[in-house]
Amino acid sequence: MKASDARAFFASPESLALDDYLLLDYVFECQDDPELAAAHLCSEQSTAQWKRVDVSEDYRPRFAAKVLDLNIEPVPTGFSVPMPEFGDQQVHRCRIRIAHPHANFGPRLPNLLSAVLGEGAFFAPGIPLIKLLDIAFPDAFLSAFQGPRFGIGGIREQLKVFDRPIFFGVIKPNIGLPPEPFAELAYEAWRGGLDIAKDDEMLADPDWSPLAERARLLGAARRRAEQETGVPKIYLANITDEVDRLLELHDTAVAAGAGAVMLNAWPTGLSAARMLRQHTKVPLVAHFPVIAAMSRLPFYGVHSRVLTKLQRLAGFDVIIMPGFGNRMMTPAEEVRACIHACVDPAFGQLKPSLPVPGGSDSAATLESVHAQVGSADFGFVPGRGVFSHPQGPAAGATSLHQAWQAISAGVPVAEAAEQQSELKAALATFG
């Protein structure tokens, strides 16, 4: 690309009708002219060849992605990932904001992903390393999406829980139980105060625990727990499968008593989630398999905040994400960025999704998770912390309420545990 051609891929924000564009923040590393690399990045993900040979035309004014800002930083230590095939030339790390016209693909998530995370971005000439850090949607684009059907408010209303986190529990062992003992564990946890008992993300419809039978027994156990406790409960059924089975599995689970359904969002795809959003009358919950494979490297792939925003756009009412602590290997600021993406008011008419930062949680971690989140608008999702409690699942669920009561009263959880056996056992076992 000639330097004169490259300038056509640069613009000032004031020169564009920004409601017609998505704003994309990338970081990339290159060795050649950073401005030329930036122009290639815009060209490859939008117009590529912008005219036919020997024809006087230029598609760039209408279709080209445009560089709005480019910050260039020399990197004395070379590429962030060893790339010996590129030699030892000077490496530049560039942060770039791009305006991409959304009319190029319309309100279609597979086409959006093909543009901003596809061949054009990850095979742009001269850019061996690149990561999409953030994406912003104008109201004109958001208006074509329904987003969450229930959102945080709808789920709180369904459960009649308005002043604390929503307590989930992953029934354990995760894939090792037939429906009968599985349902009994859920019942015990509901009886102790759990709001939502859920399938593990790896348990869907296997021979040893068929979804139809599991949902039938869990539905009956849920109704029994509701009658005994007087408060609503939810069984969250994992319906992840081949796309052509999703509606069938959804209908089976909900008819049997599942109050919400879970989908592994990225293995099945956002378009499948959007289809389910149109079909379902119960909350839709996202789990995070594959996300770490795309997001963990600092200068390659896609930031998990982008994936969270896209899940909200697709219509997930609840978004389970890698949470705080060493177990999940996710920086705290990244977890907070994903939580903010769930509730960010700059999302047009779309309702907020309930953020659920998870990973090896229990009553022993509730205090620190609440402090990191900064509000009570989150889901808390122990597994072992409820179902491996030494006094049983009911005590595990009770310990969550005891921890929250201490937090609400401004009392250290460890101090409150001295007077409450369930909480004391939880701290001793999981702390």
Side-chain angles (χ1 to χ4, degrees), residues 122-187:
F122 283 79
F123 294 89
I127 301 179
L129 295 176
I130 185 169
K131 185 167 187 173
L132 178 58
L133 299 176
D134 205 353
I135 185 168
F137 308 104
D139 288 343
F141 187 75
L142 291 170
S143 65
F145 292 83
Q146 293 178 306
R149 181 185 294 274
F150 295 87
I152 295 174
I155 292 167
R156 287 196 176 284
E157 181 61 38
Q158 186 171 339
L159 289 165
K160 305 302 179 187
V161 173
F162 302 105
D163 58 355
R164 61 166 173 81
I166 304 296
F167 293 141
F168 293 67
V170 189
I171 304 172
K172 300 289 184 179
N174 53 359
I175 60 173
L177 290 177
E180 290 83 359
F182 200 81
E184 187 60 28
L185 285 172
Y187 163 73

Side-chain angles (χ1 to χ4, degrees), residues 31 113 125 166 193 205 225 252 273 287 291 298 322 336 347 350-351 357 382:
Q31 287 181 323
L113 290 169
I166 304 296
D205 189 32
T252 296
H287 208 284
I291 283 181
R336 287 192 292 268
F347 236 75
L350 275 63
K351 293 176 182 175

